[in-house]
């Protein structure tokens, strides 16, 4: 399999090209690096029909065989990890360390989710009655993914869908289709035709999938705004939904931290993946007593991190992934300037060079109601805000439509935990951040999503409950 060309759809187990194609752009250089297929509606219908046709046999395949197939996909991905990492850096922009985390993480996720199962739950087994709840697959899943972690977030959908006996049609973001198309091709070595298809295209393709009557569930990761459109469009046949959406995670820093120790951790909490991270710390609430010291250490640490092309081994942070996102991030720079906020670091975007590069930017105590504090910039511009009263900082942390994640940092562990428990978010880290596991439920509260991914709770979302009651009384009928 070549990784530098021949990007094809996978439909019914076979590679396909399309009449229309679109360019994939390397965000570090602005160069078009590949042409990818643009799927038309008739091809969506064929892919869904193939997935429906493949469903009964796949659902009837013994669990151990389905698990083995997903493990075999992990092995294939691992065998090609180097090519995937290189391609991921070229299409997404993330540096080597990030590409390694994502690709090798995807291998781990495939392997670990392949070990999961949902045994029947016997509710009652007496002389007269036997009652069992079992988990049956839904049918065809549509998986729709964003551009920030294109492989990992596809795997978070593919693995549980297949293990639980569904078939799946995946649509990557139009900005990062390459790795997903290659994963689809690779998967055909270990899966029957129609079980896992990949379609690339534009946003219109997403709508065709979410409204398709032949699809039973949508597993979606993306923005809250698109998530709402997905929910509306999926209503036609009451599709099941898992929605992993946006966030505005607060990080609360207590006065007893060591500024030098905590600064690098806070930096990566906020700027990992160039801050294009649903779970990035997007608002840093730093206690007044220690605010200046933490700010200064953060700025000092940030100066040591190089922003550049991800293929350069010295690069710590890559470019913004695409032009629309670059334009959106620029708005926050403009807004900060227009309102006279103080930049502790950065603030000027140099557009004279190719690539969508933005300098690491830290804004010193903008108002709580500023756009930067209230919204999700999804780029490397971070507000630091002061706090002094515990009740007040908890209220401010929770005063948002989102509830994806949060972190609390301090040495007074009971206090750290007390604050953490009161944050209304799906994931709360205490003196840690960005720790995920196939065994941990991950999902958003409020408008950060519906349902969860990972863990048996996530696996369950790919199933129907079926409760069977047997009346054993010999003279019942
Ligand atoms: P996006 O919502 O613009 O796009 C996500 C996907 O939806 C893409 O594949 C896109 O083509 C598709 N899409 C667009 N319009 C559609 C429509 N009408 N119907 C169906 N599909 C449609 O998001 P993005 O810009 O790619 O990603 C960034 C967003 O994703 C951020 O808000 C971020 O917080 C969120 N995100 C959330 C998680 C999480 O797990 N909660 C993880 C990563 C990213």
């Amino acid at each position: 399999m070549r990784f530098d060309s021949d990007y094809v759809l996978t439909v019914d187990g076979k590679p396909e090209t399309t009449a229309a194609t679109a360019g994939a752009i390397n965000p570090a250089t602005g160069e078009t690096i590949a042409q990818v297929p643009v799927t038309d509606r008739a091809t969506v219908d064929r892919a869904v029909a193939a997935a429906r046709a493949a469903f009964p046999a796949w659902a009837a395949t013994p669990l151990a065989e389905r698990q083995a197939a997903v493990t075999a996909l992990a092995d294939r991905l691992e065998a090609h990890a180097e090519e995937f990492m290189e391609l991921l850096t070229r299409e997404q922009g993330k540096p080597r360390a990030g590409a390694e985390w994502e690709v090798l993480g995807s291998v781990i996720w495939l392997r670990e989710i392949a070990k999961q199962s949902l045994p029947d739950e016997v509710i009652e087994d007496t002389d007269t009655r036997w009652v069992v709840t079992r988990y049956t697959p839904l049918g065809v899943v549509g998986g729709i993914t964003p551009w920030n972690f294109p492989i990992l977030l596809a795997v978070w959908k593919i693995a549980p869908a297949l293990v639980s006996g569904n078939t799946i049609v995946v649509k990557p973001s139009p900005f990062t289709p390459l790795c997903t198309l290659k994963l689809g091709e690779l998967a055909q070595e270990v899966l029957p035709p129609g079980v896992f298809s990949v379609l690339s295209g534009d946003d219109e393709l997403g709508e065709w999938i979410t409204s398709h009557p032949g699809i039973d569930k949508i597993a979606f990761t993306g923005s809250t705004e698109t998530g709402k459109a997905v929910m509306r469009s999926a209503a036609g046949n009451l599709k099941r939904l898992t929605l992993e959406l946006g966030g505005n995670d607060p990080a609360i820093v207590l006065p007893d931290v060591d500024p030098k120790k905590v600064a690098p951790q806070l930096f990566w909490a906020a700027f990992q993946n160039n801050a294009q991270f649903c779970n990035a710390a997007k608002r840093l609430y730093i206690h007044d007593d220690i605010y200046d010291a933490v700010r200064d250490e953060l700025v000092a640490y940030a100066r040591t991190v190089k922003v550049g092309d991800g293929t350069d081994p010295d690069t710590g942070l890559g470019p913004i992934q695409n032009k629309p996102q670059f334009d959106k991030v620029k708005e926050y720079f403009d807004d900060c300037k227009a309102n006279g906020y103080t930049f502790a670091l950065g603030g000027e975007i140099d557009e004279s060079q190719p690539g969508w590069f933005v300098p690491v930017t830290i804004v010193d105590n903008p108002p709580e109601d500023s756009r930067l504090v209230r919204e999700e910039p999804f780029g490397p511009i971070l507000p630091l805000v002061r706090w002094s009263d515990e009740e007040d900082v908890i209220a401010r942390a929770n005063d948002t439509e989102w509830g994806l994640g949060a972190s609390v940092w301090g040495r007074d562990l009971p206090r750290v935990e007390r604050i953490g428990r009161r944050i209304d978010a799906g994931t709360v880290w205490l003196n840690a951040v960005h720790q995920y596991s196939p065994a941990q439920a991950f999902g958003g509260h409020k408008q950060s999503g519906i349902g969860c991914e990972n863990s048996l709770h996530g696996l369950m979302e790919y199933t129907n409950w079926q409760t069977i009651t047997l009346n054993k009384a010999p003279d019942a009928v």
Side-chain angles (χ1 to χ4, degrees):
M1 199 167 89
R2 288 190 60 172
F3 277 75
D4 57 349
S5 63
D6 303 334
Y7 296 96
V8 288
L9 309 178
T10 296
V11 178
D12 201 10
K14 290 181 281 298
E16 284 194 15
T17 54
T18 54
T21 61
I25 297 174
N26 178 339
T29 62
E31 286 165 4
T32 300
I33 52 172
Q35 289 295 321
V36 292
V38 176
T39 304
D40 60 20
R41 201 160 191 164
T43 305
V44 177
D45 290 342
R46 282 192 300 109
V48 174
R52 289 221 79 78
F55 171 64
W58 182 248
T61 300
L63 172 66
E65 280 179 41
R66 295 199 305 261
Q67 291 173 320
V70 173
T71 307
L73 180 56
D75 296 343
R76 293 290 194 289
L77 179 58
E78 191 171 41
H80 290 283
E82 197 52 51
E83 293 111 302
F84 273 101
M85 288 180 220
E86 193 267 337
L87 184 59
L88 183 56
T89 295
R90 282 202 296 138
E91 76 164 331
Q92 206 284 338
K94 64 184 68 188
R96 172 76 189 192
E100 220 171 89
W101 186 84
E102 179 167 353
V103 173
L104 299 182
S106 299
V107 172
I108 293 170
W109 250 266
L110 285 164
R111 283 209 178 112
E112 292 303 313
I113 290 181
K115 293 177 191 159
Q116 294 179 345
S117 63
L118 294 168
D120 293 355
E121 284 175 24
V122 179
I123 314 297
E124 186 181 324
D125 191 8
T126 59
D127 290 345
T128 53
R129 255 162 54 104
W130 178 73
V131 183
V132 66
T133 295
R134 53 195 289 265
Y135 299 91
T136 61
L138 298 168
V140 178
V141 176
I144 300 180
T145 53
W147 45 259
N148 57 346
F149 294 97
I151 309 181
L152 187 67
L153 296 177
V155 162
W156 283 19
K157 295 161 184 56
I158 296 160
L162 299 187
V163 166
S164 53
N166 301 276
T167 57
I168 186 165
V169 177
V170 174
K171 185 203 93 63
S173 165
F175 297 111
T176 51
L178 303 183
C179 286
T180 316
L181 289 169
K182 286 295 166 193
L183 186 66
E185 264 191 89
L186 194 63
Q188 304 317 306
E189 295 176 10
V190 297
L191 293 169
V195 167
F196 169 24
S197 304
V198 181
L199 304 176
S200 55
D202 44 29
D203 287 351
E204 202 178 27
L205 171 61
E207 217 279 325
W208 293 339
I209 289 174
T210 56
S211 61
H212 203 291
I215 293 183
D216 303 285
K217 175 198 168 86
I218 298 294
F220 172 84
T221 304
S223 64
T224 296
E225 197 189 336
T226 311
K228 291 177 185 175
V230 169
M231 196 168 180
R232 281 192 291 271
S233 161
N237 63 339
L238 285 186
K239 288 182 182 65
R240 301 329 186 233
L241 289 173
T242 301
L243 301 177
E244 297 286 4
L245 309 178
N248 189 6
D249 293 10
I252 299 175
V253 184
L254 305 191
D256 58 358
V257 297
D258 175 344
K260 212 175 180 64
K261 268 204 182 126
V262 84
Q265 300 178 69
L266 293 175
F267 177 86
W268 291 111
F271 292 103
Q272 189 62 260
N273 210 42
N274 208 14
Q276 301 167 119
F277 204 153
C278 53
N279 258 150
K282 294 180 179 129
R283 307 173 271 160
L284 252 57
Y285 290 96
I286 305 169
H287 193 276
D288 242 341
D289 292 354
I290 203 162
Y291 181 93
D292 290 354
V294 172
R295 178 199 57 209
D296 294 348
E297 288 295 344
L298 251 177
V299 167
Y301 183 81
R303 288 189 197 282
T304 68
V305 178
K306 185 181 168 196
V307 177
D309 189 322
T311 57
D312 174 348
D314 294 333
T315 293
L317 295 173
I320 295 294
Q321 201 283 323
N322 58 71
K323 177 74 164 62
Q325 183 59 28
F326 179 75
D327 291 341
K328 184 181 154 198
V329 172
K330 271 200 310 190
E331 278 181 28
Y332 291 93
F333 281 72
D334 295 343
D335 184 70
C336 288
K337 281 185 195 158
N339 285 289
Y341 306 150
T342 307
F343 292 103
L345 181 70
E348 290 303 328
I349 299 176
D350 174 9
E351 292 190 62
S352 65
Q353 305 297 319
W356 299 307
F357 290 101
V358 170
V360 171
T361 293
I362 295 174
V363 182
D364 195 350
N365 203 32
E368 190 70 30
D369 63 356
S370 58
R371 285 191 60 191
L372 188 61
V373 176
R374 304 291 308 169
E375 300 177 10
E376 184 190 37
F378 223 60
I381 174 165
L382 174 72
L384 312 184
V385 275
R386 291 175 181 269
W387 70 276
S388 53
D389 177 75
E390 189 173 308
E391 286 302 318
D392 174 59
V393 77
I394 292 170
R396 285 156 70 193
N398 284 330
D399 181 19
T400 165
E401 74 208 37
W402 285 297
L404 191 60
S407 58
V408 186
W409 305 80
R411 293 192 173 192
D412 178 349
L413 298 187
R415 188 180 188 195
V416 167
E417 185 185 335
R418 182 174 75 217
I419 294 174
R421 283 180 179 274
R422 291 186 58 198
I423 306 298
D424 190 359
T427 299
V428 176
W429 288 289
L430 307 178
N431 293 335
V433 74
H434 296 325
Q435 295 184 357
Y436 306 91
S437 152
Q440 285 170 211
F442 173 74
H445 292 191
K446 300 192 270 183
Q447 294 188 42
S448 286
I450 291 181
C452 72
E453 293 190 298
N454 304 327
S455 79
L456 294 185
H457 300 288
L459 191 63
M460 248 177 235
E461 296 201 9
Y462 289 84
T463 64
N464 277 316
W465 297 280
Q466 181 184 57
T467 297
I468 298 179
T469 301
L470 169 67
N471 184 351
K472 291 192 203 169
D475 56 352
V477 287

